Amino acid sequence: MSETHTETVKEHAPASADSHPHGAAHGPASPGTDAGPGAGGLSLPERIYVVEVVRGLAITLGHLFRNLLFPGRFRTIQWPELPRPLPQRFRAKHRLNKWEDGHTKCTACMCCATACPAGCITIVAGEFSKPLVKVDAGVTKIIEKYPTLYDIDLLKCVYCGFCVEACPCDAIKMDTGKFPRAGYSREDFLWQNRFKDGLPTLERNAAEA
Amino acid sequence: METFLFFLFALMAVAGGVLTISRRNPLAGAISLVVTFLAVAGLYGLLQAPFVAVMQVLVYAGAIMVLVVFVIMLLNMPEEDLGQERISRGRLAVGLVVGVVLLTLFAVTWLPLDLSALPAAGQADPPRDFGSIRAVGALLFRSYLYPFEIVSILLLVAMIGAVLLAKRHLD
Amino acid sequence: MEVISSLILVIGRPALMWFLLLNLIPLMIWLERKGSAYIQDRIGPNRAHIGGLRLAGMVHNVADVVKLFTKEDIVPSHVSRGYYIAAPFVAMTVALMTYAVIPFADAVVIGKKSFPMQAANLSVGFLYILAIASLGVYAVVLSGWASNNKYGLLGGLRSSAQLISYEVSMGLSLIGLVMAFQTVELNDIVRGQGELLFGFLPKWGIVIQPLAFVLYLTCAFAETNRNPFDLPEGESEIVAGYHVEYSSMKFALFFMAEYVNILVQGAIVTTLFLGGWQVPWLPTAVLKRHLDVVLPLLAMGTTVILCLSFVILRRYDLANRTRWQDARRREGLWLSRLSLAGALAFLILSTVFVKWPVDSKGGWPSLVVGMDRALHLLPGGVRGAIEQLLYWKGWGGVFTALVQFSAFVTKLLLVAWLFIWVRWTLPRFRYDQLMKLGWQVMLPLALANLVVTGVVYFVQG
């Protein structure tokens, strides 16, 4: 009887289009006011309304029973017990890559901090006491620098992923699948890393589950 | 018990009536009137007239007063527009005269009635279906059919008149 | 014995009524939440739990109660205090009062006394219901006006206009029933509906007055302010209408009154149109004679329904099994196991041991095998008292009433479910549509129904 209902009918029952053709225009269709036949594009059964009520009730009851009998059909995700399935290239919280022996891959080149549009990366560079020699894909690398401090303020970070693209040594990744949840202070959202001779001495996780 | 209930309802009715005319706020007055109607319905119930009691609630408290309340709320007069009640000497005189005339009329109508013809308290129970729907219906549609129909026509005329007046005002 | 039994029946009748009505409220709220969720392809409440027990969201009601009781009870400074406080009480009182005349079983005859199974046996019958229901509008109007809030006022206005409009059709649609059953007393109307039409169709109100049924149901929706007639609340237009300024238990009273009203209307529709406490094709006398068949059947039916619902619960749990890694996961499994065991025991008991003695001596000892022998072990005085209780003649009547009561509650819940079902299906009316429907469709239809019914009964003589 109301306009909303007319649209519901159109949506849910395309088969009814041939049995009750409503005109193209169902403009100011107010069921009580239009007395003339076909006024407002409503057919007779639609104007009697009771028939349409019963059809609507049938639709809702159908949904009810389908959901009752096939509980697996729900699309609801049981968060937080079940995390939402993330897309493959989802940019989540950062991770610093390591060599097999535990040394950080980061060379404190500042590329990420430079690329960062939010300016949330803080790096303090340090020097190895003895340069690190690594063979990567057949190329021998002599690494002299490492970050003594590598902090990311996750409240500033916009998760754009520029740091990952800028990194020349594949040291920073955003593939953890975690993202910060709630915290009680700004410090909770500061992701802190400290290194000594390229080995991590402290990693304080920012607020995450 | 019955005496207690009678005085309870009577007190409610009188208090409601007094509040109805003394409260300045129209809605408060209307609600007081509803209380009066409910109390009167209770009195009817005590008089073994359940049908009249229910009709009192249904028609007066449930329909007419709702309409009154509806109109009061529709107008929704702010407190300062309510107007001061002034009791001038002239008004007081008119009120007194009207009151005395009404009381006299009341006395003239009711005093000659022979109250001894009524059954004394607790002496004889009224007939079993006294005040029931069947009895009231039989009275209305057998003994008093013509007055009943005339009243209904009167009401119809009043309604048509009201509609006509409202219509003319609108046009 | 006689004194005790009559005392139990006199106090028990209203007590049973209150108990039923007040305890059905949480069930209704749960039905509304879960039903609406399933209708809309959602899961609905499933979080609140007591030690992992969540009963498919039923525990949310407990959380609600705790929340509403402990919330601050705010009386805003701009309200008319007296009316503001009185309004929720009026709402609840009126809602509960209506139920007084609804019969929930046939009169129980014990010895020479007959106990009508309703809280008050009034000769004015459903007129009382109409009268009390018409008072319900004052709660809405008072709260709306006393709140001193434009939304509240609009809600109150809409409500009073709506109730006046639909009460007329409501009353008129019932007069056809009075013609059919020649009485306004609810218990007599229900007894009249126990007869058969054409020898096979129960003479229910819905069968002989189908149009009146539809009209009354529509008016009942309007009277309870439920969708599609929930303009007084209309949360998308006037926030919450009349109870927008209420908090804590005052709001809860309005909330509960809404569900009590649904239950009351469900009870009225059941009583007037769906045969009330009548079990179809089984008049009271027949029912009483065949209790030995009916009682086990009822027990079995209950068991089957219980089993079905727990099977559904279990399936629901299994479908989400990998997902819940906490204590709540176990609940569905345990619950279904426990209740399946209980249901099985119930089933076995009801089929094997129940042997209702027809009208011979008998009583309960013969119900359970070996019970009479066990009784002989007791000392004489105690045994006498127990035997007097067990061999009491009134049990047949009480159990008949119990069967009829369950029939009544079943129908009542079905009608109440209809209210929920309609609410989550239909959109709200516009105000002009509401008025047009009330005065230009319902009223003429009710009058036409009245005229046709009158002519038919006049011709039949």
Side-chain angles (χ1 to χ4, degrees), chain A:
Chain A
M1 206 165 203
S2 72
E3 283 166 313
T4 331
H5 191 71
T6 318
E7 290 184 4
T8 321
V9 168
K10 275 188 158 178
E11 233 177 71
H12 280 280
S16 75
D18 33 1
S19 50
H20 319 292
H22 13 237
H26 60 104
S30 131
T33 42
D34 48 22
L42 292 169
S43 66
L44 185 69
E46 280 168 357
R47 267 184 295 131
I48 290 176
Y49 191 50
V50 177
V51 187
E52 295 297 311
V53 168
V54 172
R55 280 167 44 130
L57 287 175
I59 287 173
T60 45
L61 197 69
H63 275 258
L64 178 93
F65 274 116
R66 215 170 54 200
N67 290 324
L68 210 60
L69 297 177
F70 307 105
R73 286 177 48 103
F74 284 118
R75 308 290 297 177
T76 312
I77 294 162
Q78 296 289 339
W79 197 84
E81 287 89 352
L82 181 81
R84 196 183 177 80
L86 297 173
Q88 217 174 3
R89 287 167 54 185
F90 183 82
R91 295 191 295 270
K93 217 200 80 179
H94 317 73
R95 170 173 75 89
L96 276 178
N97 226 348
K98 294 176 206 153
W99 295 104
E100 297 80 42
D101 57 1
H103 286 92
T104 180
K105 275 192 174 180
C106 178
T107 56
C109 68
M110 307 284 174
C111 279
C112 52
T114 313
C116 181
C120 64
I121 305 179
T122 315
I123 301 174
V124 175
E127 200 178 341
F128 280 109
S129 49
K130 195 175 80 164
L132 202 62
V133 182
K134 288 285 166 195
V135 181
D136 185 26
V139 181
T140 310
K141 289 179 173 174
I142 301 170
I143 302 167
E144 295 174 343
K145 269 168 77 191
Y146 72 93
T148 54
L149 178 151
Y150 193 108
D151 284 0
I152 294 183
D153 187 343
L154 293 175
L155 286 179
K156 282 187 192 164
C157 178
V158 293
Y159 295 91
C160 61
F162 284 5
C163 51
V164 178
E165 284 179 31
C167 187
C169 354
D170 266 358
I172 186 158
K173 294 277 187 188
M174 293 181 79
D175 56 2
T176 53
K178 298 172 181 166
F179 36 94
R181 289 167 75 189
Y184 290 100
S185 65
R186 284 173 182 275
E187 283 69 44
D188 284 350
F189 293 95
L190 191 64
W191 182 50
Q192 293 174 318
N193 287 279
R194 299 287 180 277
F195 296 94
K196 182 121 200 259
D197 260 355
L199 292 167
T201 55
L202 164 91
E203 184 184 1
R204 229 197 67 200
N205 275 331
E208 67 184 28

Side-chain angles (χ1 to χ4, degrees), chain C residues 303-435:
Chain C
T303 317
V304 167
I305 289 170
L306 270 177
C307 282
L308 263 181
S309 45
F310 287 121
V311 162
I312 286 174
L313 196 69
R314 197 184 146 82
R315 282 180 57 127
Y316 176 81
D317 192 69
L318 287 180
N320 298 294
R321 182 167 58 167
T322 53
R323 301 180 176 180
W324 283 324
Q325 297 300 323
D326 60 323
R328 279 174 286 173
R329 207 199 111 197
R330 266 171 277 140
E331 183 244 3
L333 222 57
W334 270 110
L335 203 66
S336 51
R337 269 187 214 148
L338 263 177
S339 40
L340 274 177
L344 264 179
F346 197 42
L347 194 69
I348 293 167
L349 268 177
S350 57
T351 45
V352 178
F353 293 126
V354 169
K355 229 176 16 168
W356 189 263
V358 190
D359 43 4
S360 62
K361 78 183 275 272
W364 267 9
S366 51
L367 286 186
V368 183
V369 174
M371 192 164 160
D372 42 357
R373 228 168 278 159
L375 272 178
H376 280 285
L377 300 175
L378 292 167
V382 180
R383 199 180 69 208
I386 290 180
E387 271 181 353
Q388 204 186 358
L389 186 72
L390 291 178
Y391 286 104
W392 180 46
K393 285 289 176 201
W395 285 122
V398 171
F399 275 91
T400 313
L402 211 63
V403 173
Q404 288 170 338
F405 180 64
S406 26
F408 174 74
V409 174
T410 311
K411 292 176 194 172
L412 162 65
L413 282 179
L414 281 178
V415 180
W417 163 249
L418 189 65
F419 276 74
I420 294 174
W421 185 13
V422 165
R423 173 172 177 192
W424 296 99
T425 301
L426 298 182
R428 182 184 307 138
F429 282 122
R430 229 169 37 218
Y431 194 73
D432 61 319
Q433 294 171 333
L434 174 93
M435 283 296 146

Side-chain angles (χ1 to χ4, degrees), chain C residues 109-359:
Chain C
V109 182
I110 293 167
K112 287 206 172 64
K113 280 201 195 114
S114 166
F115 299 91
M117 285 287 122
Q118 61 200 108
N121 191 12
L122 295 182
S123 61
V124 283
F126 69 72
L127 288 176
Y128 168 83
I129 293 173
L130 289 180
I132 299 298
S134 69
L135 291 181
V137 66
Y138 285 109
V140 179
V141 166
L142 271 183
S143 57
W145 180 79
S147 294
N148 199 6
N149 173 310
K150 61 187 169 196
Y151 295 127
L153 190 73
L154 279 174
L157 263 177
R158 288 178 174 195
S159 178
S160 48
Q162 179 176 318
L163 290 202
I164 294 175
S165 309
Y166 281 79
E167 234 158 50
V168 183
S169 321
M170 195 177 203
L172 282 177
S173 67
L174 291 185
I175 294 182
L177 278 181
V178 182
M179 288 184 190
F181 294 114
Q182 297 284 311
T183 176
V184 293
E185 272 180 59
L186 291 170
N187 221 341
D188 293 347
I189 290 181
V190 176
R191 274 197 202 103
Q193 293 182 76
E195 294 165 19
L196 290 182
L197 207 62
F198 312 124
F200 68 98
L201 211 55
K203 200 180 160 193
W204 287 2
I206 188 173
V207 176
I208 51 175
Q209 288 275 306
L211 184 59
F213 173 71
V214 175
L215 290 174
Y216 185 85
L217 202 62
T218 314
C219 292
F221 288 142
E223 201 87 350
T224 46
N225 294 334
R226 292 282 292 189
N227 238 351
F229 298 100
D230 68 341
L231 287 105
E233 282 174 54
E235 55 275 271
S236 55
E237 302 159 15
I238 50 172
V239 197
Y242 55 91
H243 57 65
V244 67
E245 293 281 2
Y246 283 84
S247 59
S248 185
M249 273 317 280
K250 291 207 195 68
F251 165 74
L253 277 179
F254 277 119
F255 192 62
M256 277 153 67
E258 182 181 338
Y259 287 99
V260 175
N261 272 325
I262 295 173
L263 289 168
V264 162
Q265 290 296 345
I268 298 169
V269 170
T270 305
T271 307
L272 294 175
F273 293 102
L274 298 179
W277 41 257
Q278 295 278 2
V279 184
W281 299 290
L282 277 180
T284 311
V286 181
L287 191 63
K288 201 168 174 179
R289 219 176 316 127
H290 295 291
L291 267 181
D292 53 338
V293 183
V294 173
L295 271 182
L297 271 182
L298 186 70
M300 269 193 273
T302 320
T303 317
V304 167
I305 289 170
L306 270 177
C307 282
L308 263 181
S309 45
F310 287 121
V311 162
I312 286 174
L313 196 69
R314 197 184 146 82
R315 282 180 57 127
Y316 176 81
D317 192 69
L318 287 180
N320 298 294
R321 182 167 58 167
T322 53
R323 301 180 176 180
W324 283 324
Q325 297 300 323
D326 60 323
R328 279 174 286 173
R329 207 199 111 197
R330 266 171 277 140
E331 183 244 3
L333 222 57
W334 270 110
L335 203 66
S336 51
R337 269 187 214 148
L338 263 177
S339 40
L340 274 177
L344 264 179
F346 197 42
L347 194 69
I348 293 167
L349 268 177
S350 57
T351 45
V352 178
F353 293 126
V354 169
K355 229 176 16 168
W356 189 263
V358 190
D359 43 4

Side-chain angles (χ1 to χ4, degrees), chain B residues 44-67:
Chain B
Y44 286 140
L46 282 181
L47 287 172
Q48 312 249 342
F51 179 70
V52 184
V54 165
M55 277 302 144
Q56 170 86 11
V57 176
L58 187 61
V59 174
Y60 284 94
I64 291 180
M65 283 318 290
V66 173
L67 214 58

Side-chain angles (χ1 to χ4, degrees), chain B residues 54-84:
Chain B
V54 165
M55 277 302 144
Q56 170 86 11
V57 176
L58 187 61
V59 174
Y60 284 94
I64 291 180
M65 283 318 290
V66 173
L67 214 58
V68 170
V69 168
F70 177 74
V71 171
I72 291 172
M73 283 176 64
L74 197 64
L75 297 176
N76 197 23
M77 279 225 266
E79 196 78 15
E80 54 269 22
D81 285 3
L82 284 180
Q84 275 303 328

